[in-house]
Amino acid sequence: MPGGRSTCDDDNSRLPSVTIEVFISTESRLHRREIIARFADLGAALTSAATLARSTPAGKVAPTPGPLSTQHKAVVDSTAECLRAGRVCLARCTDHLAAGMNTMADCQRAVMNMLSVVGAMADVAGFANAGPANIRSLATTSARFCDTCAAACEPHAAHHEECKACREARLACAKDCNAFAA
């Protein structure tokens, strides 16, 4: 119907009329069945492309990662705990700073930086596909940031439970990262 609307009316139905309009050009419109057919064609094309992208070249098989070492698992676990405790510590530092306790500034800076570095270590260790030299280097760097953060938490550990937990998590993470890097 040039210039008109395509409607889905059924004389035997009590449902309201539905109008579907898709413009291909300024002069023609598609009917509902044509639209559904075009979407089906698009779905088939996308499925074919995805299948083609997933296929491997003849004779090649994707490598299966081996089991993680005990040290690797320890890094995955300790970085997760380090991040959890660090987020709690960061929130507490922010609360103290907002209340005017400027003594928490060094602790807050240390925990902010540690969270970024240890977060990267947690991700890379969890992916378990980085080159050995790179992951060892990152583990060494993470241990250094954990040591710096633990030193910043030390003056507050006796007064604040969060600082004590943060410091203990940092020391454990540094130990596991150093053992992994060795």
Side-chain angles (χ1 to χ4, degrees):
M1 283 194 251
R5 291 183 180 221
S6 172
T7 59
C8 300
D9 292 328
D10 186 355
D11 294 335
N12 298 326
S13 173
R14 293 184 185 185
L15 297 175
S17 172
V18 176
T19 302
I20 300 175
E21 294 182 23
V22 175
F23 293 89
I24 292 179
S25 70
T26 57
E27 296 183 15
S28 65
R29 297 175 189 185
L30 291 177
H31 295 285
R32 184 177 63 127
R33 288 185 183 152
E34 292 173 313
I35 294 169
I36 292 170
R38 300 247 173 130
F39 276 120
D41 291 343
L42 177 63
L46 291 174
T47 300
S48 296
T51 301
L52 187 60
R54 270 189 256 122
S55 63
T56 57
K60 297 204 175 188
V61 177
T64 303
L68 298 180
S69 70
T70 303
Q71 290 174 329
H72 196 132
K73 289 178 186 176
V75 167
V76 170
D77 292 340
S78 66
T79 55
E81 176 57 24
C82 189
L83 291 170
R84 188 204 60 74
R87 288 183 184 111
V88 171
C89 184
L90 179 62
R92 186 61 56 219
C93 286
T94 302
D95 290 343
H96 287 301
L97 287 168
M101 295 176 66
N102 294 334
T103 58
M104 301 299 278
D106 289 339
C107 191
Q108 185 184 41
R109 280 191 283 276
V111 76
M112 288 170 67
N113 291 312
M114 177 280 308
L115 285 170
S116 295
V117 175
V118 172
M121 183 67 217
D123 288 345
V124 171
F127 298 149
N129 63 3
N134 289 339
I135 196 167
R136 278 192 221 106
S137 176
L138 184 56
T140 299
T141 301
S142 294
R144 286 186 191 139
F145 275 82
C146 284
D147 287 338
T148 299
C149 189
C153 287
E154 190 170 5
H156 311 288
H159 310 290
H160 306 289
E161 189 60 36
E162 296 85 1
C163 291
K164 180 181 177 186
C166 184
R167 184 174 183 277
E168 289 171 0
R170 268 354 116 248
L171 294 173
C173 187
K175 178 184 168 198
D176 290 338
C177 284
N178 281 325
F180 183 74

